[in-house]
């Protein structure tokens, strides 16, 4: 069965380029980004892991631990990591999980037989500190992921987890947000001292509350 939003992210133990990983223990109280790639030594995947490494400081300031996974063995990951560092001008120091027995791929439904019987698709799972799945995305093998979009979604998830707001289409950090419908305009005015702009009774904007 495929995993759904709000499900507990399955725990696992796996070897990685950073040593043995006990997934839930590794995450601790952090957010997690678990993403699969079809295969080592492939061009799109090389750029994706390089981009993740280059965004290290962005993930760190959001309290996010990134982990990549494919069904390749550990020795392949180790050799390929050198290529990533060389070609992408980066230093990959997040775990690349080895999953040759497809344990993680099966737990997270990362192999879609109608796309490929062996390779994992480009799955993305954002996991909260409560170990619940907050976001899932699936890209085909031919399309590299937009990691700035993943950061944008994480910003939204972290904001909306702590404040009674939602984020509109194309929202970016620092822009106005939407007051959730469960709060009356009267209560919203009290709750959000920066102000509330009512467009419709169900559509109210307020400046981002955590900046």
């Amino acid at each position: 069965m495929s995993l759904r939003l709000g499900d507990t992210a399955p725990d696992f133990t796996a070897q990685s380029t950073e040593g043995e990983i006990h997934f839930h223990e590794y995450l601790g109280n952090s957010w997690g980004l678990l993403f699969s790639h079809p295969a080592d030594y492939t061009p799109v995947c090389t750029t994706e892991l390089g981009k993740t490494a280059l965004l290290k400081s962005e993930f760190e300031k959001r309290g996010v631990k990134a982990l990549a996974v494919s069904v390749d063995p550990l020795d392949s990951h180790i050799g390929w990591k050198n290529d990533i560092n060389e070609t992408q001008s980066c230093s990959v120091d997040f775990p690349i999980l080895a999953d040759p027995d497809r344990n993680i791929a099966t737990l997270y439904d990362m192999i879609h037989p109608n796309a490929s019987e062996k390779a994992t698709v480009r799955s993305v799972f954002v996991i909260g500190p409560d170990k619940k799945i907050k976001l899932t995305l699936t890209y085909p093998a031919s399309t590299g992921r937009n990691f700035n979009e993943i950061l944008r979604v994480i910003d939204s998830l972290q904001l909306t987890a702590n404040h009674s707001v939602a984020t509109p289409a194309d929202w970016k950090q620092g822009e106005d947000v939407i007051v959730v419908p469960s709060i009356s305009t009267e209560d919203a005015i009290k709750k959000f001292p920066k102000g509330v702009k009512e467009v419709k009774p169900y559509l109210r904007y307020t400046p981002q509350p955590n900046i």
Side-chain angles (χ1 to χ4, degrees), residues 92-115:
V92 174
D93 59 4
F94 58 87
I96 308 175
L97 302 166
D99 191 33
D101 60 1
R102 304 185 189 181
N103 175 48
I104 302 169
T106 300
L107 285 173
Y108 284 82
D109 195 28
M110 292 171 168
I111 295 177
H112 296 191
N114 289 330

Side-chain angles (χ1 to χ4, degrees), residues 195-208:
V196 175
K197 177 185 176 183
E198 183 179 295
V199 179
K200 292 285 186 181
Y202 61 85
L203 180 58
R204 290 88 40 91
Y205 290 91
T206 187
Q208 185 174 331

Side-chain angles (χ1 to χ4, degrees), residues 31 33 51-66 93 147-155 158 173:
W31 288 69
L33 171 66
K51 185 66 173 179
T52 304
L54 291 169
L55 289 171
K56 176 183 177 180
S57 64
E58 294 297 322
F59 287 114
E60 285 182 343
K61 73 182 183 183
R62 292 165 173 81
V64 178
K65 293 181 177 179
D93 59 4
F147 283 84
N148 287 313
E149 166 64 5
I150 292 170
L151 286 171
R152 188 192 76 88
V153 173
I154 290 169
D155 284 340
Q158 294 182 341
Q173 183 77 258

Side-chain angles (χ1 to χ4, degrees), residues 81-96:
K81 186 171 84 164
N82 295 328
D83 278 10
I84 300 170
N85 291 340
E86 176 191 346
T87 63
Q88 305 304 303
S89 301
C90 66
S91 178
V92 174
D93 59 4
F94 58 87
I96 308 175

Side-chain angles (χ1 to χ4, degrees), residues 7 10 12 25 32 34 40 47 59 61 73 76 83 87 89 105 107 115 118-120 136 149 160 169 194 209:
D7 288 352
F12 58 80
E25 180 183 323
L34 177 66
D40 294 354
T47 64
F59 287 114
K61 73 182 183 183
S76 174
D83 278 10
T87 63
S89 301
L107 285 173
K118 296 180 180 179
T120 49
T136 63
E149 166 64 5
T160 58
K194 295 179 182 178

